[in-house]
Amino acid sequence: MRMRKKDWARPELAACPYYTDTPEALKGNWQAQYAKKQPLHLDLGCGKCTFLAELSFRHPEINYLGIDQSPDVLGVARRNIESRFQEGERAVENVMLTAYDIEKIAAVLDEEKDQVERIYINFCNPWPKARHHKRRLTHTIQLLKYRKLLCEDGEIWFKTDNDDLFLATLRYLEEAGFEIYAKTFDLHAENDPENIESEHEVMFTAQGIRTKALKARMLPKIPQKPQETKDKEQESQ
C-alpha cells in the first residue's frame, strides 16, 4: 500500500541530523556519521521504523542504517525513532536513515569500508508474479549483492507473512551460499521475548496471518550450480 504524500515529511527529514538524501556521498564513510564506530546493521525496507526504533534503542552498542525508497514513509519513521528515544531520555546516536533504491545498494555502501554484520528484511514486497521475482529483496540476485557487503559469518534475519515468498527465500539463500540456522512458520507461537514487531507484523497478526521467520549465516563459499559442477568435471577429464 502506497502512503499518501506528506508535505511535512521532507522538511522534517532535511532538518534531521541522522537522515541523508545523498547516500552516495557517504559511501565508504558511514561509520563517521555515528557517535562512535560500532558494528553496522542494515534494515532494508525499514518502513515506518516501528521495528528499528525499538531495536536501536535496545542496542546502543550497534549502529543501524535504515533504507526505504519513500521519503514520506521515512518522515513517519523519523517521528517514531524520535518518540522512542525521547521516551527513554536518550539522544539518537546510533541510527541513520536514507531514501534509496535497495536494488542499487552497491552504489551507497563500500565492500571494504562499510562492512555489515547483519541485515534485517521484514515484510518486504512479495512480488507474486513470476516475471517480477527478481525484484524481491531476498532473491538470489540481491543476496549475492549483500554477500559483498557482509563480513565473515554475516547474517540475514527475515520475516514475512507470505508463504510463497518464505519458501522461495529458503531456496534463494541456499543458492547464494547462506546456511539457515533458525526458521519457523509461526513465530508468535514461540513467544520469543526478543522479537520486535514491525507495523506490518502487528497488522497481519491481528488478521490471523502467521509470521514466518528465519535467520541465516553467510558461508565462505557459494555452492556450485549443477551445470557448473558438470562443466568443471568435463574440463578435468
Side-chain angles (χ1 to χ4, degrees):
M1 184 180 295
R2 184 171 296 179
M3 178 176 286
R4 292 181 180 178
K5 183 176 180 180
K6 299 185 180 299
D7 293 335
W8 52 264
R10 286 165 177 79
E12 287 193 12
L13 287 173
C16 177
Y18 50 91
Y19 172 80
T20 178
D21 59 2
T22 56
E24 302 98 328
L26 299 180
K27 183 176 181 178
N29 198 37
W30 281 101
Q31 287 288 1
Q33 312 311 307
Y34 301 91
K36 53 185 174 180
K37 186 175 181 179
Q38 303 180 135
L40 180 64
H41 291 189
L42 304 184
D43 185 0
L44 300 183
C46 61
K48 298 176 183 178
C49 284
T50 303
F51 170 81
L52 184 57
E54 182 62 30
L55 181 68
S56 58
F57 184 82
R58 288 190 192 182
H59 296 282
E61 76 283 3
I62 304 293
N63 289 334
Y64 294 94
L65 172 57
I67 305 177
D68 200 280
Q69 277 193 296
S70 170
D72 295 303
V73 171
L74 289 175
V76 179
R78 187 209 66 82
R79 289 187 173 185
N80 285 334
I81 292 170
E82 203 71 28
S83 175
R84 181 65 184 97
F85 277 76
Q86 286 180 356
E87 177 188 341
E89 299 181 341
R90 283 215 324 257
V92 183
E93 297 183 331
N94 64 327
V95 179
M96 285 292 295
L97 298 174
T98 192
Y100 206 75
D101 182 353
I102 296 168
E103 291 185 36
K104 302 174 182 177
I105 195 168
V108 298
L109 288 163
D110 186 89
E111 296 177 15
E112 296 182 1
K113 297 178 181 179
D114 301 316
Q115 283 222 318
V116 175
E117 288 196 0
R118 184 179 298 165
I119 296 175
Y120 296 94
I121 303 174
N122 295 323
F123 297 88
C124 62
N125 190 332
W127 293 104
K129 295 183 179 180
R131 67 177 183 273
H132 294 151
H133 283 185
K134 290 182 179 179
R135 302 194 66 180
R136 291 172 166 176
L137 293 186
T138 60
H139 192 275
T140 309
I141 292 174
Q142 286 299 115
L143 294 175
L144 292 176
K145 295 178 185 177
Y146 307 152
R147 279 189 66 97
K148 296 178 180 180
L149 303 174
L150 285 166
C151 62
E152 185 177 353
D153 296 327
E155 297 184 346
I156 291 178
W157 290 22
F158 172 61
K159 293 195 287 188
T160 183
D161 63 297
N162 188 282
D163 291 345
D164 177 66
L165 176 60
F166 188 68
L167 292 173
T169 298
L170 297 178
R171 184 180 78 253
Y172 299 152
L173 286 163
E174 181 180 359
E175 292 174 349
F178 286 83
E179 174 191 29
I180 298 168
Y181 67 87
K183 69 176 178 180
T184 177
F185 288 86
D186 190 357
L187 178 61
H188 294 169
E190 300 185 0
N191 296 315
D192 181 0
E194 295 299 314
N195 182 52
I196 299 172
E197 295 185 337
S198 71
E199 61 269 18
H200 287 97
E201 190 170 349
V202 172
M203 178 182 68
F204 288 127
T205 300
Q207 295 173 8
I209 301 173
R210 295 176 179 177
T211 295
K212 278 65 69 174
L214 63 81
K215 298 176 182 179
R217 184 179 298 111
M218 188 173 71
L219 297 172
K221 295 182 180 181
I222 301 171
Q224 293 179 339
K225 295 180 181 179
Q227 185 59 46
E228 291 175 342
T229 304
K230 183 178 179 181
D231 290 344
K232 287 201 171 185
E233 288 176 351
Q234 291 175 345
E235 290 174 4
S236 63
Q237 290 177 355

